[in-house]
Amino acid sequence: MDLNSASTIVLQVLTQATSQDTAVLKPAEEQLKQWETQPGFYSVLLNIFTNHALDVNVRWLAVLYFKNGIDRYWRRVAPHALSEEEKTTLRAGLITNFNEPVNQIATQISVLIAKVARVDCPRQWPELIPTLLESVKVQDDLRQHRALLTFYHVTKTLASKRLAADRKLFYDLASGIYSFACSLWNHHTDTFLQQVCTGDEAAASNSLERTLLSLKVLRKLTVHGFVEPHWSVEVMLLDFLDQHPFSFTPLIQRSLEFAVSYVFTEAGEGIVFERFIVQCMNLIKMIVKNYAYKPSKNIEDSSPETLEAHKIKTAFFTYPTLMEICRRLVTHYFLLTKEELTMWEEDPEGFTVEESGGDSWKYSLRPCTEVLFIDIFHEYNQTLIPVLLEMVHSLQGSTNIEDTSAILIKDAVYNAVGLAAYELFDSVDFDQWFKNQLLAELQVSHNRYKPIRRRVIWLIGQWISVKFKSDLRPVLYEAICNLLQDQDLVVRIETATTLKLTVDDFEFRTDQFLPYLESMFTLLFQLLQEVTQCDTKMHVLHVLSCVIERVSMQIRPYVGCLVQYLPLLWKQSEEHNMLRCAILTTLIHLVQGLGAESKNLYPFLLPVIQLSTDVSQPPHVYLLEDGLELWLVTLENSPCLTPELLRIFQNMSALLELSSENLKNFFKIINAYIFLSSSEFLQMYAADLCRSFCELLKDITTEGQVQVLKVVENVLKVNPVLGPQMFQPLLPSIVRGIIEGERYPVVMSTYLGIMGRVLLQNARFFSLLLNQVACELGQELDQILGNIIEMWVDRMDNITQPERRKLSALALLSLLPSLNSVIQDKFCGIINISVEGLHDVMTEDPETGTYKDCMLMSHFEEPKVTEDEEPPTEQDKRKKMLALKDPVHTVSLQQFIYEKLKAQQELLGEQGFQALMETVDTEIVAQLQEFLQGF
């Protein structure tokens, strides 16, 4: 078919793929998917999206399919890779005209050219950069802009490559075009300024965009295009401090003088603005904290550049300078502003959320000042600790309620003490301060004193993990209970935060907390209902979750109200997936705390799990990880399998197709169902699971392979009769893996564990399986059996788990008594493994001097749980009950060996048996006789 007729067909299908009608859309998408690997498809797409007469939506879709095709099929080694001929044509077509009229499509075309450049430039596409350089010079405004946009995306992409050879290519490119990029930026900047002067706004706006694009190109070339940028005269000061600290050394002194004078002296008063202050503070912070400027402990190990930079820093940060910076930060920048105090009154929840978060220090003034304070205090703590302590001493006692400025100063100083808690560890007796002053300040209930109440409870939260005596905890819990009833919402939210830090601390003791649990939980629940914003509800839920997690079963009497409220909150949070994640976390801890009683939550719990783990529902993108954990703990704590719980497993086959980073959790969930009710579960889902596993094993890591095999092993453990039949399609490959000597020890160990289960607990099926493999391989059954035993003996050391080692011995011994010549031929190996097994499991009773099998279990005992231990889940109990039926834990290896050898002796007669025993090493026989004393 020629290109024109192909274009007509593809155009028609692309038009259908832009339809809103799913009956039209779905078949079109399927057809396009099939064409992705067809030769010539991308040439047709190029024709379509460069034809400006066609519908914009169709062209947009053509560009997207082209871009996705580059990701999948452009590289030579990709499956269904594009031919070199077609790629040559496409490369030429992409840079023929830079005249795309639609901005969004122009951006996509620039990005896809950059993607091709990442793979092909400069070797397969030497003409790209020269073409771009010529095109950015043309007079046509549209072509010039589109070429410049492409130039930027190509530069950005090439700059991001990190291999040494790619870096070298980019250095060469940068040195070749740097002068041109500088002149381009100068030209557009001059044009912009001239147009601003003449009042031509439309033209100035266009020029400004070109100026910005050329500046972005220059930035990428500057930061990533030079090994040592200070060797290049033309290089501008962009990101140097971060990327090239030693290039910045000559500028340290001037930068610090400039930033400090404007931000920390009168020079800047009235003329600086917030964004400028933030940038200056970040500049100071980056110089102070830069590791390249810090000498090693052993000065001789430091480079001359490091010592030079350190010398400049030390000369600048004198005692008076540091003292002034510290005082100004605390008493000027830390003060709550009028705007913040107004926000406190008008939007208290917004005020609490406003405080912090991530990289906010890069852009916002308050986080920026606090981060600078922490870094300077850490770097120069010997100098600054006395300065801060002096400020604290000047504020002893409670402050006059009428003196607002004094209250705000105290708030700022306490903030500094909280931020510097780790540095002040040896200089502040926090316990005494808490008892003698801070506790009293928490009890001043006047409305005007609320900044101090909030700040003091925050301060305690900062110190709780640094220095706070355990026996003061009850006094603190009392104070927290009172403050959770404070008239001010900001104080209550801050108190909840400190409660979380206290409960989450390493030294938390449940017995100290229990007397306050009921009132704390009730007050937190009231707070959860009272707050209205999503972020605040999430925050309070996290505090509740933390409390539930730490007190575990003790929470049971108090959760009724929360259990009733969560379904309502879930319904209200339909549009807020992050709040729903917080609800899932709370439910996880609730289920763990309630144990088997969590069954009462199923009417709410199971639909939540269903939605969170259904990949056809959009929210799963946010909820899947927490949803899987909730699903798992629900199964682990379930007393029995319900039809609804069984039905949720329908979500699993689609999840297994994802084969994502959650694979481990998928297998844990499958195992939990097997332990919970293997027969019902396997009857319904074994066939689907087996199919999924067969698919997974074709393309999975070694670790994933072992996870799949462990599930099969658990099925055989729980259901030795039906299990092998249900997973029969998987078993021949395991036999072949053993015979061929699987090279990964951990996989081999699991193969032998599975085979041991089949051989020991379902000998009839074992024979059928060997027959099947013998037919497939065209060998005799005895030959297959001999190979298995030989490999088993040879690779016994791959098995490290004592249970599997004992299982191997029991399984191979179960072949006895036998007249089969292959088994008799391998008798020596079977005895060797059995004696190894005895060494693993037999312990000597020091009183009687006799040996006993330490793996034997006779009855189920509820383990005694200490306060620090988690109580056993329902699944732990199920596993214990299962162990009581498992031959590994019910059959004495010592007795089993004795009985099997005795039976073999009776079968062969004394003489024949002695001849067989003579094939075994005398040392092994001696060890065996010692273990079998008394039989």
Side-chain angles (χ1 to χ4, degrees), residues 343-344 346-355 489-490 493 533 536:
M343 190 178 188
W344 185 327
E346 294 175 1
D347 179 14
E349 290 184 49
F351 175 82
T352 59
V353 172
E354 193 81 351
E355 287 283 286
L489 182 57
V490 172
I493 293 169
Q533 291 184 16
T536 332

Side-chain angles (χ1 to χ4, degrees), residues 49-53 59 93-103 105-106 109-110 113 135 138 140-148 150:
F49 71 70
T50 52
N51 183 347
H52 304 157
R59 293 173 56 229
L94 284 170
I95 55 173
T96 305
N97 280 309
F98 293 100
N99 59 351
E100 172 54 55
V102 180
N103 283 335
I105 295 179
I109 293 172
S110 297
I113 289 173
S135 301
V138 298
D140 181 301
D141 276 3
L142 180 68
R143 287 185 62 199
Q144 188 187 63
H145 176 271
R146 298 319 191 214
L148 194 51
T150 307

Side-chain angles (χ1 to χ4, degrees), residues 258-259 262-263 275-285:
F258 173 84
Y262 275 109
V263 177
R275 184 88 185 123
F276 176 79
I277 297 170
V278 168
Q279 296 299 342
C280 284
M281 286 190 176
N282 285 340
L283 184 62
I284 298 168
K285 167 190 154 45

Side-chain angles (χ1 to χ4, degrees), residues 362-381:
K362 290 180 181 174
Y363 321 104
S364 303
L365 185 57
R366 180 163 294 283
C368 175
T369 57
E370 291 181 348
V371 167
L372 176 62
F373 174 81
I374 291 166
D375 287 339
I376 284 193
F377 206 92
H378 175 72
E379 187 73 9
Y380 301 104
N381 53 19

Side-chain angles (χ1 to χ4, degrees), residues 145-164:
H145 176 271
R146 298 319 191 214
L148 194 51
L149 181 68
T150 307
F151 189 29
Y152 162 62
H153 280 288
V154 168
T155 312
K156 178 183 173 185
T157 301
L158 296 179
S160 68
K161 296 178 80 174
R162 287 285 169 265
L163 293 176

